[in-house]
Amino acid sequence: MIGATALRALVLTAAFFAALSPATCLGENSNRLPAKATKELPPELLSLLRQKKMPKYSPILVRVFKQEAELEVWKQDTTGLFKILKVYPICRWSGDLGPKLKEGDRQAPEGFYTITPELMNPNSDYHLAINVGFPNSFDKANNRDGSLLMIHGDCSSSGCYAMTDEQISEIYSLARDSLGGRPSFQLQAYPFRLTPANLAQHRNSPNLSFWKMLKVGNDHFETTHLEPKVDVCNRRYVFDA
């Protein structure tokens, strides 16, 4: 039988080594994160953060526009408002304008999504990846299904928003830093910039009512520069209800 003193020593030793073990996060498994997932932001982007008075670990918000093929990263500055940090050209997206409806339709999603640390994939075959979280509660309420819809590298898309490896490296690092001690950030995915002119151009689309619904959340953000609170009621998006 192990004596009380020896048993206590074993317990303390186990606790000490447990404290030295890194906690898993950002979608990682028990293996150590690859270097590409822990890479620091490039010096020029760190300099831009300082110029714009954006703390390195402050929240971000991501907006995607299909028609313009642009991904915007907004970041909270010292005033507490979101300001534009950088615009990335989307290398490739698949499908047409309009939301994703079912598995295999090759459509990139549109809507409001919540990105949690578990949706960050440091071991992606496409360099690095961020799962957009499709289907969300709105998608499920409207019987839309699909899986593994990402923002990722490798410039190859099948229902995803594909970036270059260099771009996704920056975007992933910005997302990773913003999630330090924070549960999530918001992704807003749009068919195009929801201006009156663009909506008028697509007035005959069967998706017009859906896009007008998204415009409410879009306009809230563009007016206040604050993240809109998003809920789903009666199969519709509602904002700051």
Side-chain angles (χ1 to χ4, degrees), residues 86-99:
K86 191 168 180 178
V87 180
Y88 297 88
I90 296 173
C91 189
R92 186 169 299 168
W93 58 271
S94 68
D96 300 310
L97 300 181

Side-chain angles (χ1 to χ4, degrees), residues 199 203 205-215 236:
L199 287 170
R203 60 185 176 276
S205 170
N207 297 306
L208 184 62
S209 62
F210 171 69
W211 293 337
K212 285 183 174 180
M213 180 172 51
L214 297 186
K215 181 171 167 49
R236 293 182 58 84

Side-chain angles (χ1 to χ4, degrees), residues 105-126:
D105 64 8
R106 298 180 63 84
Q107 282 288 104
E110 295 172 9
F112 290 77
Y113 295 90
T114 300
I115 311 300
T116 62
E118 293 74 26
L119 296 178
M120 305 279 286
N121 183 2
N123 299 302
S124 172
D125 291 336
Y126 299 92

Side-chain angles (χ1 to χ4, degrees), residues 4-20:
T5 301
L7 181 61
R8 183 182 179 190
L10 286 172
V11 170
L12 289 174
T13 300
F16 173 76
F17 283 106
L20 292 180

Side-chain angles (χ1 to χ4, degrees), residues 63-72 87-93 96-97 110 161 163 188-199 201-202 218 222:
R63 302 205 304 170
V64 171
F65 301 93
K66 284 182 177 177
Q67 184 168 272
E68 294 82 1
E70 290 181 339
L71 183 151
E72 297 178 344
V87 180
Y88 297 88
I90 296 173
C91 189
R92 186 169 299 168
W93 58 271
D96 300 310
L97 300 181
E110 295 172 9
Y161 294 104
M163 316 299 293
Q188 304 174 4
Y190 298 112
F192 41 74
R193 296 190 182 278
L194 296 175
T195 63
N198 281 341
L199 287 170
Q201 182 182 352
H202 296 280
N218 170 81
E222 291 192 346

Side-chain angles (χ1 to χ4, degrees), residues 66-202:
K66 284 182 177 177
Q67 184 168 272
E68 294 82 1
E70 290 181 339
L71 183 151
E72 297 178 344
V73 176
W74 293 64
K75 194 164 176 65
Q76 199 176 73
D77 66 12
T78 52
T79 70
L81 300 178
F82 283 93
K83 303 290 177 61
I84 188 71
L85 172 62
K86 191 168 180 178
V87 180
Y88 297 88
I90 296 173
C91 189
R92 186 169 299 168
W93 58 271
S94 68
D96 300 310
L97 300 181
K100 183 171 184 63
L101 301 178
K102 60 184 179 180
E103 185 81 64
D105 64 8
R106 298 180 63 84
Q107 282 288 104
E110 295 172 9
F112 290 77
Y113 295 90
T114 300
I115 311 300
T116 62
E118 293 74 26
L119 296 178
M120 305 279 286
N121 183 2
N123 299 302
S124 172
D125 291 336
Y126 299 92
H127 193 63
L128 292 164
I130 302 172
N131 190 315
V132 305
F134 182 96
N136 62 14
S137 55
F138 173 87
D139 301 317
K140 293 173 182 176
N142 287 275
N143 299 314
R144 299 175 179 178
D145 65 82
S147 59
L148 301 177
L149 283 306
M150 309 276 179
I151 300 170
H152 61 61
D154 202 39
C155 195
S156 173
S157 174
S158 179
C160 298
Y161 294 104
M163 316 299 293
T164 66
D165 290 354
E166 182 180 3
Q167 289 171 334
I168 193 61
S169 181
E170 284 191 9
I171 296 164
Y172 189 97
S173 295
L174 287 165
R176 177 200 66 214
D177 290 349
S178 79
L179 287 170
R182 198 169 289 110
S184 64
F185 67 87
Q186 188 174 96
L187 166 69
Q188 304 174 4
Y190 298 112
F192 41 74
R193 296 190 182 278
L194 296 175
T195 63
N198 281 341
L199 287 170
Q201 182 182 352
H202 296 280

